[in-house]
Amino acid sequence: MTTRRPIASFRPRLIDALAGYNRERFLKDAAAGATVGIVALPLAMAFAIASGLKPEAGIWTAIIAGFLISALGGSAVQIGGPAGAFIVIVYGIVERYGVANLLIATACAGVLLFLLGLFRLGTLVRYVPVSIVIGFTNGIAALILISQIKDWLGLSIEKMPADMFSQLHALATHLDTFNPYAFGLGLACLVGLFAWPRLLHDSTRFGHAVRIVLGRVADTRAVRAGSRVPGPIVALVTLTLVSWGFSLQVETIGTRFGGIPQGLPAFALPDFSWETVKQLVTPTLTIAALGAIESLLCARIADQVSGLPRHDPNQELMAQGIANTVAPFFGGMPATGTIARTVTNVRAGATSPIAGIVHAMSLMAVVLVAAPLAQHVPLAVLAGILVFVAWNMGEWREFSPYMLRRFSRHYRLLMLGTFFLTVVFDLTVAVQAGIVLACALFIRRMSGLFNVEMVSLEPPVLTFRLYGALFFGAAAKLDAAAQAVERAPRGMTVVLDAMHLISLDATGLDALRQLHKTVLGRGGALSIESLQPQPLEVIVRSGFADELASGMPRADEG
């Protein structure tokens, strides 16, 4: 019989994936990785800019963290990097604590994530109710949509505030600076992203017609290849060319940030001190919690989509921890598993973590070669891409009246409560309040399952039957039995049929002791029959079995 070790072994999925690896699989992984690398470029820049950082922060996070997560992670096909879920969190931390402290909080969160995986706590993330996950995910998506209105409309706002109401006020007071060119580029980007997957796809009537027309003027294989080019890249390239070719007066990466450095990032240690770390406890916990939830949620989706062996949640958290510890030393932002890029990786034919490594290397090659061209990218186009990401990120169907009617009141309360707390306050408050509320509702529901039923009153025996779990949330229900004993004739023998009592905790045991004391006070005796293993163990270990046998209460009870 093997015993479970308290800490997890460090074994990346890459080691197992390389067993029997061949040229055919490498070609599939290389093609998938290159595809994802192209997709990651506009998203990484957009996530960084929306988070209040320079675009290169997102790019180098995608490269460095993406490489480490794939090389050391517990999933075969998960792609790591900056994620839309972090936009609101990172922007708030930058506004309140500054970029330097964001880097420290990210590194500390990385250490925390590694420890969570090392001590096998990865499975705890699965206990977060799905209603809370949907609530904060939709809340973050809504905040991303609001945060991108400024660049989409081309408004001249020097600095956007962090909270939603201040953002809405700033947008309303600057509507007179509306830029129609920026709005047009953002709208064209958004429409194109929604239309592109259907435009050349044979499964739609319009797409089939378009492919027939294009097939008459171009090679059919070229048309098929073109239909597989990711929509964000098509939007980024075409609309950047339109903006540059017509000299549209819109804000670009170059006008705001001066472009992207063409070279490797420098290694730099943040100004670290324990006093600073103590002030950053809340941001650190927020980054770690969101990173853990997002990465393991993404890994589960990857398992379902790919059909490959299940991921190792603890190894995945250790890899996420290492990536988030290392990336800040190169100016990186928080990283986690990314659902859109992971699904793209799977659909492109990925079979192993090699695809994720190729994704990082191909992205680095693109940046080193084409960095000067990024200065022409309009921010309105990146805003359109982020609006598209946010729309796909949210599970808006869950908020429809039809779906809400199908859920229980508890589910609706958790989901809608978490959503509104995320939007009005922040993710930390929302998740904390959501989990506390979920625990309270769970206790209430479980207490409702416990029941005490009086079976018979045939002097000199009074019999009760116990159902469910006798724990702190339901212990008060045993008072009904004590009241029945007080009304019954003196000298009764009280029998508790515990056949259907599945669980007993310390508070429930104390309630049984109080009942025993009441029975003894009436000159009777208490007997508990047909105990299940767990309640029996608690009763024997606590000495209550000896008290029942001797007919005497505990010494400290008099």
Side-chain angles (χ1 to χ4, degrees), residues 25-313:
R25 288 181 63 192
F26 174 75
L27 292 177
K28 289 183 178 179
D29 287 337
T35 301
V36 180
I38 295 173
V39 173
L41 178 60
L43 294 178
M45 291 191 297
F47 292 152
I49 293 171
S51 301
L53 303 172
K54 294 182 178 180
E56 57 263 30
I59 293 174
W60 288 111
T61 300
I63 294 171
I64 297 170
F67 177 89
L68 292 173
I69 289 171
S70 292
L72 305 177
S75 172
V77 291
Q78 173 151 276
I79 300 295
F86 274 118
I87 289 176
V88 179
I89 304 302
V90 173
Y91 191 89
I93 295 174
V94 171
E95 282 291 293
R96 183 172 180 182
Y97 300 97
V99 175
N101 286 331
L102 168 69
L103 301 180
I104 296 174
T106 303
C108 292
V111 174
L112 184 57
L113 283 168
F114 183 86
L115 293 176
L116 287 175
L118 182 66
F119 290 104
R120 297 181 177 274
L121 298 177
T123 53
L124 292 180
V125 176
R126 297 179 181 176
Y127 294 115
V128 178
V130 66
S131 53
I132 293 178
V133 174
I134 293 175
F136 79 68
T137 300
N138 281 23
I140 291 173
L143 290 173
I144 293 173
L145 289 170
I146 295 172
S147 70
Q148 295 311 298
I149 294 176
K150 168 187 172 288
D151 287 334
W152 186 4
L153 302 183
L155 304 181
S156 298
I157 304 176
E158 184 176 349
K159 191 71 174 177
M160 283 288 285
D163 66 282
M164 181 196 67
F165 293 112
S166 298
Q167 287 180 352
L168 293 175
H169 180 265
L171 293 171
T173 55
H174 289 80
L175 285 176
D176 57 330
T177 62
F178 171 73
N179 186 329
Y181 299 115
F183 175 72
L185 288 173
L187 181 62
C189 175
L190 194 58
V191 172
L193 289 174
F194 277 107
W196 182 251
R198 303 167 180 82
L199 189 61
L200 300 177
H201 203 285
D202 276 331
S203 63
T204 63
R205 184 179 302 176
F206 181 70
H208 183 64
V210 170
R211 291 185 71 156
I212 291 176
V213 173
L214 291 178
R216 293 175 180 172
V217 296
D219 185 79
T220 304
R221 287 174 296 180
V223 174
R224 287 191 184 133
S227 67
R228 290 195 293 268
V229 177
I233 290 298
V234 176
L236 188 73
V237 173
T238 56
L239 294 175
T240 298
L241 289 175
V242 168
S243 174
W244 176 73
F246 288 94
S247 300
L248 300 181
Q249 297 301 308
V250 295
E251 194 172 17
T252 65
I253 289 179
T255 59
R256 181 180 292 185
F257 303 103
I260 296 175
Q262 190 175 12
L264 298 175
F267 178 87
L269 289 173
D271 186 12
F272 180 89
S273 70
W274 284 113
E275 287 299 321
T276 303
V277 171
K278 286 189 287 186
Q279 295 174 3
L280 297 173
V281 171
T282 299
T284 297
L285 293 176
T286 302
I287 293 172
L290 183 57
I293 293 171
E294 283 289 311
S295 63
L296 297 186
L297 177 64
C298 177
R300 290 177 64 183
I301 293 174
D303 293 343
Q304 297 167 5
V305 175
S306 67
L308 295 172
R310 287 171 57 89
H311 72 282
D312 180 347

Side-chain angles (χ1 to χ4, degrees), residues 14-26:
L14 179 63
I15 296 175
D16 299 324
L18 290 178
Y21 199 71
N22 53 37
R23 181 174 178 273
E24 181 182 356
R25 288 181 63 192
F26 174 75

Side-chain angles (χ1 to χ4, degrees), residues 335-494:
T336 185
T338 57
I339 295 176
R341 275 160 279 172
T342 297
V343 172
T344 300
N345 189 40
V346 173
R347 290 176 178 170
T351 67
S352 77
I354 294 295
I357 295 174
V358 172
H359 136 264
M361 302 305 293
S362 60
L363 182 56
M364 183 171 68
V366 171
V367 171
L368 294 178
V369 172
L373 301 178
Q375 64 179 332
H376 301 294
V377 175
L379 296 182
V381 175
L382 294 180
I385 292 174
L386 280 184
V387 169
F388 179 74
V389 169
W391 179 259
N392 288 328
M393 176 181 170
E395 298 186 42
W396 311 109
R397 184 171 176 269
E398 303 294 317
F399 283 7
S400 68
Y402 171 74
M403 294 297 294
L404 288 175
R405 283 196 299 268
R406 298 177 60 184
F407 299 141
S408 67
R409 288 194 301 271
H410 290 176
Y411 189 99
R412 292 197 297 265
L413 180 60
L414 282 176
M415 184 174 69
L416 296 178
T418 306
F419 172 79
F420 286 114
L421 285 173
T422 301
V423 172
V424 176
F425 295 99
D426 59 48
L427 179 67
T428 308
V429 174
V431 173
Q432 291 173 349
I435 291 177
V436 169
L437 184 59
C439 292
L441 293 174
F442 176 76
I443 291 170
R444 180 184 176 188
R445 180 172 295 179
M446 289 300 297
S447 67
L449 298 178
F450 177 75
N451 191 31
V452 181
E453 177 185 331
M454 188 170 72
V455 179
S456 65
L457 174 56
E458 299 179 4
V461 178
L462 175 59
T463 304
F464 296 93
R465 188 168 292 145
L466 307 182
Y467 297 90
L470 180 54
F471 71 116
F472 65 91
K477 289 189 174 183
L478 209 57
D479 292 345
Q483 294 170 3
V485 170
E486 291 174 347
R487 291 192 299 268
R490 293 181 59 84
M492 296 285 288
T493 297
V494 178

